[in-house]
Amino acid sequence: MPNPRDPRADPAAQRPERCPCLSGERYSECCGPLHAGVTPAPTAERLMRSRYSAFVLGDVDYLLHTWHPSTRPGQFELDDTLRWTRLDIERVESGGPFDSAGLVEFTAYCRQGGMRSAQHEVSRFTRVARQWYYLDAEG
C-alpha cells in the first residue's frame, strides 16, 4: 500500500521541478524524499528546509509529523492566502548528524493579497533516535 504522504502516491499532485527550499536541487532529490517519508533529514538545517518546502506545498501532515510531540499542537491549519516565495538561512548552530540539538535562524518571505512580508525566526530542533524534530522558536 503506498504511503499517503508520498507525492508519487497521487499522480495528479502538482510537485515542483525545482525544490521550494531554494537549494538549487530538484524537488525529487531534495525535500521530496523527506516529505515522502523515504529518508529522514540528516541535519536540523535540512529539516528546516524541508519544513519550509512543506509550507510552500501545503503539506500539513509533514509539518505535524516533524514537530516534536512535546510541543506539537493538536491541530494545525495553513493560511491559504499566503504564498511563500523565498527562504534565507542566516545562522546554523550545531544540528549536525551527530548532535542531539540544533538551532536554525532564518527569514521566510511571502506574499499575501499583493503585500510582501517576512517571518524571521530562530528555530530550535531536537534529535531523538536519529530523527530530527522541530521543537519551538526561541524567544
Side-chain angles (χ1 to χ4, degrees):
M1 174 159 101
N3 178 343
R5 287 191 6 249
D6 186 340
R8 296 167 295 189
D10 178 7
Q14 296 296 316
R15 298 296 175 180
E17 173 83 15
R18 291 281 170 215
C19 196
C21 80
L22 303 178
S23 65
E25 296 180 36
R26 299 171 70 100
Y27 173 75
S28 62
E29 297 167 0
C30 189
C31 292
L34 280 69
H35 290 172
V38 174
T39 183
T43 66
E45 180 181 354
R46 285 287 290 122
L47 181 61
M48 174 59 235
R49 288 182 172 282
S50 70
R51 285 178 56 83
Y52 170 81
S53 290
F55 273 99
V56 171
L57 299 171
D59 191 343
V60 173
D61 289 340
Y62 182 78
L63 293 167
L64 288 170
H65 177 75
T66 57
W67 206 318
H68 193 271
S70 69
T71 57
R72 180 186 316 142
Q75 291 186 326
F76 183 70
E77 293 183 27
L78 296 176
D79 184 343
D80 293 345
T81 65
L82 287 176
R83 189 175 134 248
W84 296 99
T85 58
R86 189 175 96 212
L87 173 67
D88 291 343
I89 302 293
E90 296 165 12
R91 175 174 56 116
V92 176
E93 289 182 13
S94 300
F98 302 108
D99 294 322
S100 60
L103 189 115
V104 180
E105 182 175 4
F106 69 92
T107 302
Y109 299 86
C110 66
R111 287 181 176 256
Q112 184 176 35
M115 302 291 291
R116 294 179 186 177
S117 63
Q119 176 180 334
H120 178 261
E121 186 174 301
V122 178
S123 293
R124 294 186 322 141
F125 295 87
T126 187
R127 189 167 150 243
V128 179
R130 296 187 184 154
Q131 178 76 42
W132 281 103
Y133 293 94
Y134 168 76
L135 189 58
D136 58 19
E138 229 179 40

